Amino acid sequence: MDKTDGKATVLKIIKNFGAKHIFGVEARSELVEIAKNKLQGNVEFFVGDIQDSNLIAPLVEKSQTVIALGVLYHLYNHFGFLSNILRPNIRHVLIETVAGPETL
């Protein structure tokens, strides 16, 4: 299984847990295109940096849960990322260093 299949599997698991809407953020546009072809429905994908508060803030505002899989080692500002996602409306946060279905 390649990384794209693993991420698609993770999103399917999250959907099965009852997510009404999923926002996916990925820096690589080619992976976003693959994900769009694999998952339909209540999933929106964005190409960008998860540390960009202009991108993340509106998504977090509409959310109750943040799941960040396999991103910690890519961050240059861990505290900035955390301050962007730890908001009063966020009820659950899962941050994992591995981005595969086995993490869930």
Side-chain angles (χ1 to χ4, degrees), residues 22 24 34-35 42-44 54 58 62 64 71 75 81 92 95 99:
I22 298 171
I34 292 169
N42 60 348
V43 182
E44 278 182 80
N54 292 325
K62 300 180 218 177
Q64 293 180 338
V71 299
L75 301 179
F81 172 69
H92 308 283
I95 298 174

Side-chain angles (χ1 to χ4, degrees), residues 50-53 56-57 60-61 66 75 77-90 93 95:
I50 63 164
Q51 297 175 101
D52 178 358
S53 58
I56 295 302
V60 169
E61 207 172 281
V66 173
L75 301 179
N77 181 356
H78 293 84
F79 293 114
F81 172 69
L82 292 172
S83 69
N84 281 333
I85 65 168
L86 298 177
R87 298 306 203 191
N89 57 298
I90 298 299
V93 175
I95 298 174

Side-chain angles (χ1 to χ4, degrees), residues 1-95:
M1 174 179 356
D2 68 20
K3 283 186 176 186
T4 316
D5 287 336
K7 289 180 181 182
T9 301
V10 167
L11 290 176
K12 286 179 186 175
I13 291 169
I14 292 167
K15 284 176 77 170
N16 289 340
F17 276 131
K20 292 183 179 130
H21 199 89
I22 298 171
F23 302 111
V25 178
E26 169 60 52
R28 296 165 289 184
S29 59
E30 62 274 9
L31 292 183
V32 168
E33 288 307 312
I34 292 169
K36 283 180 180 179
N37 291 326
K38 289 187 177 198
L39 289 168
Q40 308 296 309
N42 60 348
V43 182
E44 278 182 80
F45 294 101
F46 299 87
V47 177
D49 183 350
I50 63 164
Q51 297 175 101
D52 178 358
S53 58
N54 292 325
L55 171 63
I56 295 302
L59 303 178
V60 169
E61 207 172 281
K62 300 180 218 177
S63 303
Q64 293 180 338
T65 302
V66 173
I67 300 173
L69 301 175
V71 299
L72 286 183
Y73 56 88
H74 293 292
L75 301 179
Y76 54 85
N77 181 356
H78 293 84
F79 293 114
F81 172 69
L82 292 172
S83 69
N84 281 333
I85 65 168
L86 298 177
R87 298 306 203 191
N89 57 298
I90 298 299
R91 298 172 66 192
H92 308 283
V93 175
L94 171 63
I95 298 174

